[in-house]
Amino acid sequence: MVRVRLAPSPTGMMHIGTARAALFVWIFAKQNNGKFILRIEDTDKERSKKEYEDSITTGLKKLGLEWDEFYRQSERTEIYKKYLKTLVEEGKAYPCFCSKEDIDKERKQAEKEKKAYIYSGKCSNLSKEIVAQKIEAGEDYVIRFRMPKEKINFNDMVRGDISYDASLIGDIVIAKSYDEPLYNFVVVIDDALMEISHIIRGEDHISNTPKQIAILRSLGFKEPIYAHLPLILNKDRSKMSKRGGDVALVDFLEKGYLPEAIINFLALLSWHPKDNQEIFSINDLISEFSMDRVQKGGSIFDYEKLDWINKKYISEIIPLKELVKRGQSFIKQEWKLTPEIMSAVRERLVNLADLEESVSFFFTEPDYSADSLFWKGKKGNTKNNLLSIIDIISDIEEEKFNKENIEKAVMAIIPKDKKGEYLWPLRFSLSGKKNSPGPFEIMEGLGKEKSIFRINKAIDKIS
Ligand code: GLU
């Protein structure tokens, strides 16, 4: 049975990298009829916040990546305590009384000798009596895991065979106290108890893997299969961190990037499809995705590509009705988006946050000077041209006042060589803008009455 998990720490707003991990984990579960487990890793009491946890759960829901089981590590302290005690009783872990100063000294010495720091093992062989005495005397201690001095090998679905020399790791701290276990320990307990079959996560955890394997072996747990996803990088190849620019999923959602487009983009960010296909629905991904086509090297986050994909979804893929529904929340409440208005502007949008600006002229009377109505600055017959357009469109019945009918009627009265002299002032009278959708689409969006009203106003301006 495939059981996979997303194990985010709620120490910041849900990162776009977490969304990518979630997507791959979720797809893998779906492909294998497995279960997707969401485990909130909130053992760091100072940095974990409920609002961050909420941003993860809401973010996943918005992306449509729902989980089958949910756990919170802060509710599992007793379980971890039990295993910590077992490890200490069996001598596989031990209390370490070294003070921060002791450790700093060791570190400095290692630095001087230009060696990577490894804990000296000073407390690793204290007798039971000494340990008992120290605890009795109230000395502070942490719990260290006795790292085996051996090679630890594992096969990674993305990166292939990986080998670490655990003797270079040293005895790591796995708990600050019995009530404060640390990441590398709790992750092992949870992955084992939750029967996780595949650990799919970011590459930043690859160096933790040998530590976790050593711990799980010492407890006799079954080894899962690992898949480490490439880091997400900025264009300059620096790590995309929480500290610079937009990295939270919610930032992208608020800017009007559609969940479908974000998913499509995130999939392509680190996975190469077999051919040049670029648009993938979530169902396409379930049938096409494979871990062996996930790249090893870092994935550059290309905003232009994201824009391109989002534009594609807005202009062509999302059904009009659905787009209207979603768009409404991006514009002023008192403005009522209609399918006609959305259809007039959708091809021009990169994201839904552009919508308010793009549709504003439908809801507010345009303000412009009479001069701007003249094609190439020449007044010519502008007024008469507009008058004849009003004449012709007045004859179109209200229910038939759509783009096609308006275009047919208007184009029929425009001489071939005079398009600019008619269509420029027409479009300008309707939108008050140099750049806008075409006049026929605008008229359909405005409706008959408003369209005629605006053209009349332009005529007044010229007179
Ligand atoms: N909690 C860890 C993090 O947010 C991930 C743990 C894991 O996937 O093993 O980075």
Side-chain angles (χ1 to χ4, degrees):
M1 169 80 166
V2 164
R3 290 176 55 85
V4 284
R5 78 330 187 253
L6 180 75
S9 305
T11 53
M13 295 302 277
M14 183 178 175
H15 192 276
I16 195 82
T18 308
R20 190 226 17 206
L23 175 63
F24 287 18
V25 171
W26 185 91
I27 292 173
F28 194 77
K30 286 284 170 276
Q31 287 181 325
N32 293 286
N33 282 320
K35 292 271 183 267
F36 173 40
I37 289 140
L38 175 59
R39 184 172 75 223
I40 300 293
E41 303 213 316
D42 55 351
T43 48
D44 184 337
K45 293 195 188 80
E46 265 128 57
R47 291 173 60 221
S48 299
K49 293 214 168 81
K50 182 70 171 63
E51 81 178 275
Y52 298 146
E53 178 186 314
D54 292 344
S55 87
I56 295 164
T57 47
T58 339
L60 289 175
K61 281 186 194 154
K62 288 219 165 117
L63 293 178
L65 307 175
E66 303 254 356
W67 52 93
D68 301 302
E69 293 171 27
F70 180 88
Y71 303 92
R72 211 179 268 121
Q73 285 186 329
S74 56
E75 291 160 4
R76 299 168 58 81
T77 317
E78 288 310 310
I79 301 174
Y80 308 133
K81 204 169 177 171
K82 190 183 118 206
Y83 283 96
L84 269 178
K85 289 204 159 134
T86 307
L87 281 181
V88 173
E89 272 159 25
E90 293 177 356
K92 292 170 178 164
Y94 57 87
C96 168
F97 301 90
C98 290
S99 64
K100 197 179 164 296
E101 290 73 35
D102 294 336
I103 300 293
D104 281 348
K105 236 195 239 157
E106 287 187 2
R107 256 184 220 285
K108 287 224 175 85
Q109 185 60 30
E111 238 169 69
K112 240 198 207 153
E113 293 169 21
K114 298 210 158 53
K115 283 189 196 152
Y117 170 68
I118 301 175
Y119 173 59
S120 65
K122 202 167 147 194
C123 294
S124 63
N125 292 310
L126 299 178
S127 68
K128 276 209 166 108
E129 293 71 37
I130 302 256
V131 169
Q133 268 172 27
K134 283 177 175 285
I135 293 177
E136 183 83 354
E139 273 192 48
D140 278 339
Y141 64 94
V142 297
I143 296 163
R144 283 188 189 269
F145 178 74
R146 208 180 288 283
M147 195 60 71
K149 300 196 171 33
E150 61 186 27
K151 283 246 156 53
I152 293 181
N153 305 319
F154 61 97
N155 181 274
D156 188 281
M157 288 175 91
V158 176
R159 311 187 64 85
D161 286 328
I162 296 177
S163 175
Y164 274 92
D165 185 351
S167 61
L168 301 176
I169 299 174
D171 296 349
I172 57 165
V173 179
I174 54 172
K176 291 202 258 180
S177 72
Y178 282 106
D179 292 314
E180 292 168 286
L182 295 174
Y183 163 68
N184 274 311
F185 175 71
V186 293
V187 80
V188 167
I189 305 300
D190 281 345
D191 286 337
L193 298 186
M194 293 169 196
E195 296 179 0
I196 302 301
S197 59
H198 297 73
I199 294 184
I200 303 165
R201 61 183 172 192
E203 196 193 291
D204 41 337
H205 286 292
I206 205 152
S207 61
N208 285 323
T209 307
K211 301 174 191 170
Q212 294 169 12
I213 291 177
I215 297 172
L216 76 83
R217 283 182 184 164
S218 77
L219 284 161
F221 293 145
K222 194 166 162 243
E223 286 181 35
I225 296 168
Y226 294 90
H228 285 93
L229 308 174
L231 293 181
I232 301 182
L233 308 173
N234 293 313
K235 257 199 169 135
D236 64 4
R237 303 200 70 84
S238 60
K239 193 176 159 188
M240 210 173 151
S241 82
K242 288 177 196 177
R243 278 165 269 280
D246 278 345
V247 291
L249 172 66
V250 63
D251 295 332
F252 293 94
L253 291 170
E254 278 173 3
K255 286 205 173 123
Y257 289 98
L258 308 179
E260 293 87 341
I262 295 175
I263 282 184
N264 193 148
F265 171 75
L266 289 177
L268 295 182
L269 190 56
S270 346
W271 166 76
H272 300 296
K274 285 201 197 79
D275 51 26
N276 293 328
Q277 186 179 338
E278 298 209 83
I279 296 300
F280 288 87
S281 69
I282 190 76
N283 286 329
D284 295 338
L285 289 172
I286 294 173
S287 54
E288 300 284 319
F289 176 83
S290 70
M291 211 51 96
D292 57 0
R293 301 190 72 87
V294 171
Q295 73 193 45
K296 291 192 185 68
S299 321
I300 308 266
F301 195 98
D302 181 350
Y303 285 90
E304 279 160 31
K305 176 100 181 234
L306 174 61
D307 282 351
W308 180 83
I309 292 177
N310 204 51
K311 193 167 167 45
K312 195 101 183 150
Y313 274 83
I314 293 179
S315 61
E316 296 172 25
I317 302 173
I318 304 291
L320 182 60
K321 240 174 120 182
E322 174 63 22
L323 203 57
V324 171
K325 210 167 92 194
R326 297 196 204 177
Q328 185 63 49
S329 59
F330 283 85
I331 62 171
K332 291 201 170 85
Q333 246 181 359
E334 63 268 28
W335 294 354
K336 178 89 189 70
L337 207 54
T338 62
E340 291 76 15
I341 293 177
M342 184 53 106
S343 121
V345 300
R346 68 187 293 183
E347 272 167 40
R348 313 172 70 86
L349 303 171
V350 171
N351 53 52
L352 289 181
D354 295 344
L355 193 61
E356 185 162 295
E357 161 77 23
S358 298
V359 301
S360 68
F361 70 86
F362 282 100
F363 302 99
T364 48
E365 285 299 312
D367 184 25
Y368 55 89
S369 68
D371 291 353
S372 41
L373 287 165
F374 306 145
W375 172 239
K376 296 195 168 156
K378 289 196 200 93
K379 189 171 176 184
N381 287 323
T382 307
K383 186 175 163 183
N384 285 333
N385 296 350
L386 289 177
L387 279 168
S388 57
I389 291 175
I390 290 195
D391 255 1
I392 197 85
I393 62 172
S394 300
D395 289 343
I396 304 173
E397 287 166 49
E398 196 87 49
E399 315 76 74
K400 293 188 180 150
F401 200 77
N402 60 37
K403 198 169 76 183
E404 292 75 25
N405 289 335
I406 307 168
E407 178 163 5
K408 215 162 92 196
V410 172
M411 292 314 280
I413 62 157
I414 303 181
K416 262 214 168 87
D417 57 341
K418 296 237 171 344
K419 276 192 192 149
E421 278 115 282
Y422 281 78
L423 296 181
W424 173 269
L426 173 61
R427 198 175 55 72
F428 216 99
S429 69
L430 297 164
S431 70
K433 285 175 174 231
K434 282 199 180 112
N435 287 309
S436 73
F440 311 119
E441 287 140 287
I442 301 181
M443 281 196 265
E444 178 173 327
L446 284 173
K448 185 171 171 180
E449 197 187 312
K450 267 197 186 166
S451 299
I452 293 179
F453 178 82
R454 288 193 185 180
I455 305 169
N456 265 323
K457 237 174 134 182
I459 293 167
D460 290 346
K461 272 191 204 260
I462 301 170
S463 310

